[in-house]
Amino acid sequence: MERIWTDHLTVRHHECGPDAKLKLNSLFDYLQDAAAGHADHLGVGIQFLAEHRMLWVLSRVKLRIARMPAIGERICVTTYPSGPEKIFATRQYAVCDEKGELIIYGTSFWLLLDGAKFRPLKPLQHLGNALPANGDQIRYFSGLDKLEGNPAVSELREYTVSHSMIDVNRHLNNAYYAFFTNDALGMMSGAFRSVSEIQVNFNHSGALGDRIVCRGSLSSGCFYVDGRSPDGSVTFFQASGAVNDL
Amino acid sequence: MERIWTDHLTVRHHECGPDAKLKLNSLFDYLQDAAAGHADHLGVGIQFLAEHRMLWVLSRVKLRIARMPAIGERICVTTYPSGPEKIFATRQYAVCDEKGELIIYGTSFWLLLDGAKFRPLKPLQHLGNALPANGDQIRYFSGLDKLEGNPAVSELREYTVSHSMIDVNRHLNNAYYAFFTNDALGMMSGAFRSVSEIQVNFNHSGALGDRIVCRGSLSSGCFYVDGRSPDGSVTFFQASGAVNDL
């Protein structure tokens, strides 16, 4: 069993925006694919958990992005579990370029849920020692908290979760929250923007037909974006961070 | 120079839908990435053409899909230029599984345009013999014609081209037309559907902010979908084909 997982990838045309660099949602896809691949490898992937009526839910991610890789660039996406924090199982990410330089890194917080009651379970108790603790490895961020709402947000765009957005878990692919955030940054600044740091909190999964109203604010290079149901009763996600200068 | 181009890919989690099979738009991304990679390799890629004020425009694609590959499956995407047909340059595609079995194949028609006047140019005249004719290789489909409109279409959904949908050519990534078509099939049938055959005609590229109203019909397993501007004056794309039984 590999306690540290590495995907070797080449950045493809369709994954890039007009600057020929990896798009934010494609980065989120890379990270989730690596996490899913590793969980499968460790025997605690989607299929195993479904059979045992449990599921992994991504709760929070925080990333620092020194630079996005470009079309054709060969990169390594490394990920490893890094022990519990509060009720979460944590997992680290590192993206290195061909020279071995660390260009993106971050931390994710996951919940292991009871598939019937949707209550959080303690991963160590229910998965035994399937998840290596990797105590000797770097932990990039800790204490990924709830994000404060921002009263200054403007309403930007409404999305409807469509068939093509639904993933193997039968929910909106989480990377769409990065997609919506990138759209919001574009709309608020009137330009294609890239981010240097971002935290996304995944508060509620999107189902087919759900309508998600995105709102945001951008001030002094810092942004806050969220997506809620039209009546405001459900917050699907919140994102905050910093954009690069143009 | 490789006259036939092959990408070796492993189908990733985020590229699949709830049936754990490759999504239609992800297939279109695979094919376009392969074509773009081959064009780059042959010295007639985006960058070369931009410097010479020309551009490749994908006009028509027809595919037959015996089966979509599943998560984790290793596949080969093969593509090659296959000579001119009318004003088009043609390019063939074949997707094989690990056993070498041909699971998807098809043909695409491209236009080489004058970047200033947007007039079609003759590829042979302007690109010399950069494009191998591959006369010894299979041509899957010929005569990809204009698609007849269908008077029986129902209006389904309007999309707005957003920042995250824009590709390296600064246009709506063409694969979104497959994405919209798949959405239309889901809406018309009330289920996730897969297609056995599809032709997409790319009539007009989408720009940031464009609104695209999708309409469609589905009858006896055959579908027609198109996307037009709200006033109906511009048809962005048309798609027709057949769906698999549930």
Side-chain angles (χ1 to χ4, degrees):
Chain A
M1 286 292 164
E2 305 286 344
R3 67 187 184 99
I4 295 170
W5 187 257
T6 299
D7 280 342
H8 299 268
L9 301 170
T10 300
V11 176
R12 292 189 259 156
H13 274 74
H14 80 269
E15 295 167 335
C16 293
D19 60 355
K21 303 278 177 65
L22 190 67
K23 295 200 269 193
L24 191 63
N25 61 299
S26 296
L27 172 63
F28 275 67
D29 280 328
Y30 282 9
L31 303 182
Q32 292 194 159
D33 287 348
H38 198 195
D40 284 345
H41 173 78
L42 294 171
V44 294
I46 295 171
Q47 205 171 343
F48 168 86
L49 292 185
E51 286 162 11
H52 292 76
R53 307 201 69 181
M54 296 186 281
L55 62 154
W56 279 124
V57 178
L58 178 58
S59 287
R60 296 169 191 172
V61 173
K62 183 171 179 176
L63 303 173
R64 195 157 290 156
I65 301 167
R67 70 173 183 86
M68 282 291 201
I71 282 185
E73 217 178 316
R74 284 185 286 186
I75 58 167
C76 288
V77 178
T78 298
T79 183
Y80 48 89
S82 47
E85 184 173 332
K86 294 182 191 165
I87 56 167
F88 301 102
T90 70
R91 177 177 275 282
Q92 311 296 320
Y93 296 111
V95 180
C96 290
D97 65 15
E98 224 171 337
K99 294 176 192 158
E101 201 166 325
L102 182 65
I103 58 175
I104 298 162
Y105 60 82
T107 299
S108 57
F109 279 28
W110 299 74
L111 287 174
L112 182 68
L113 295 187
D114 178 311
K117 297 175 193 158
F118 289 95
R119 288 219 194 112
L121 300 169
K122 290 184 178 169
L124 275 179
Q125 252 174 42
H126 288 83
L127 302 178
N129 51 11
L131 295 176
N134 290 309
D136 56 334
Q137 297 296 310
I138 297 174
R139 280 139 172 79
Y140 293 105
F141 297 107
S142 60
L144 301 189
D145 281 328
K146 289 187 180 179
L147 292 175
E148 292 294 320
N150 184 330
V153 288
S154 309
E155 205 161 291
L156 296 166
R157 181 170 284 166
E158 180 179 312
Y159 301 87
T160 301
V161 178
S162 75
H163 288 77
S164 298
M165 296 179 176
I166 299 292
D167 68 9
V168 291
N169 297 312
R170 306 194 75 88
H171 288 296
L172 173 67
N173 172 4
N174 277 325
Y176 275 100
Y177 295 153
F179 182 107
F180 300 156
T181 300
N182 181 57
D183 279 355
L185 294 175
M187 293 176 79
M188 290 191 289
S189 66
F192 289 89
R193 303 303 296 258
S194 60
V195 310
S196 56
E197 189 172 301
I198 183 169
Q199 177 173 337
V200 180
N201 283 12
F202 302 84
N203 301 323
H204 197 276
S205 70
L208 183 65
D210 277 347
R211 292 162 59 199
I212 301 179
V213 179
C214 288
R215 316 178 305 164
S217 67
L218 177 63
S219 166
S220 309
C222 293
F223 67 85
Y224 171 83
V225 176
D226 65 26
R228 309 190 307 165
S229 56
D231 66 1
S233 64
V234 175
T235 300
F236 291 95
F237 78 98
Q238 298 171 293
S240 75
V243 294
N244 291 307
D245 289 331
L246 282 178
Chain B
M1 287 294 166
E2 305 286 344
R3 68 188 183 96
I4 295 170
W5 186 256
T6 300
D7 281 340
H8 300 268
L9 301 171
T10 301
V11 176
R12 291 191 260 155
H13 274 74
H14 81 268
E15 294 166 337
C16 293
D19 60 355
K21 303 278 178 64
L22 190 68
K23 295 199 271 193
L24 191 63
N25 61 298
S26 296
L27 172 63
F28 274 68
D29 279 328
Y30 281 9
L31 303 182
Q32 292 195 159
D33 287 348
H38 198 194
D40 283 346
H41 173 79
L42 294 170
V44 293
I46 296 171
Q47 204 171 344
F48 168 86
L49 291 185
E51 285 162 12
H52 292 76
R53 308 200 69 181
M54 297 185 282
L55 63 154
W56 280 123
V57 179
L58 178 58
S59 288
R60 295 168 193 174
V61 173
K62 183 172 181 176
L63 302 174
R64 195 157 288 158
I65 302 168
R67 70 173 184 88
M68 282 290 201
I71 282 186
E73 217 179 315
R74 283 184 288 186
I75 58 166
C76 288
V77 177
T78 298
T79 183
Y80 47 90
S82 47
E85 183 171 332
K86 296 182 191 165
I87 55 168
F88 302 102
T90 70
R91 178 178 274 282
Q92 311 296 320
Y93 297 112
V95 179
C96 290
D97 65 15
E98 223 170 337
K99 295 176 192 157
E101 200 165 327
L102 183 65
I103 57 175
I104 298 162
Y105 60 82
T107 299
S108 58
F109 280 26
W110 298 74
L111 287 174
L112 181 69
L113 295 188
D114 179 311
K117 296 176 195 157
F118 289 95
R119 286 217 196 117
L121 300 169
K122 291 183 179 171
L124 276 179
Q125 251 173 45
H126 287 83
L127 303 178
N129 51 10
L131 296 176
N134 289 310
D136 56 335
Q137 296 297 310
I138 297 175
R139 280 140 172 78
Y140 293 105
F141 298 107
S142 61
L144 301 189
D145 280 328
K146 289 187 181 180
L147 292 175
E148 292 293 320
N150 183 331
V153 288
S154 309
E155 205 162 291
L156 296 166
R157 181 170 284 166
E158 180 179 311
Y159 301 87
T160 301
V161 178
S162 76
H163 288 77
S164 298
M165 297 178 175
I166 299 293
D167 67 10
V168 291
N169 298 312
R170 305 193 77 88
H171 287 297
L172 174 66
N173 172 3
N174 276 327
Y176 275 99
Y177 294 152
F179 182 108
F180 300 156
T181 299
N182 181 58
D183 279 354
L185 295 175
M187 293 177 78
M188 290 191 288
S189 66
F192 289 89
R193 303 303 297 258
S194 62
V195 311
S196 56
E197 189 171 300
I198 184 169
Q199 178 173 336
V200 181
N201 283 12
F202 302 85
N203 300 323
H204 197 275
S205 71
L208 184 64
D210 277 348
R211 292 162 59 198
I212 301 179
V213 179
C214 288
R215 314 179 306 164
S217 67
L218 176 63
S219 167
S220 309
C222 293
F223 67 85
Y224 172 84
V225 176
D226 65 24
R228 310 189 307 165
S229 56
D231 66 1
S233 64
V234 176
T235 299
F236 291 95
F237 78 99
Q238 298 171 292
S240 74
V243 294
N244 291 306
D245 289 331
L246 283 179

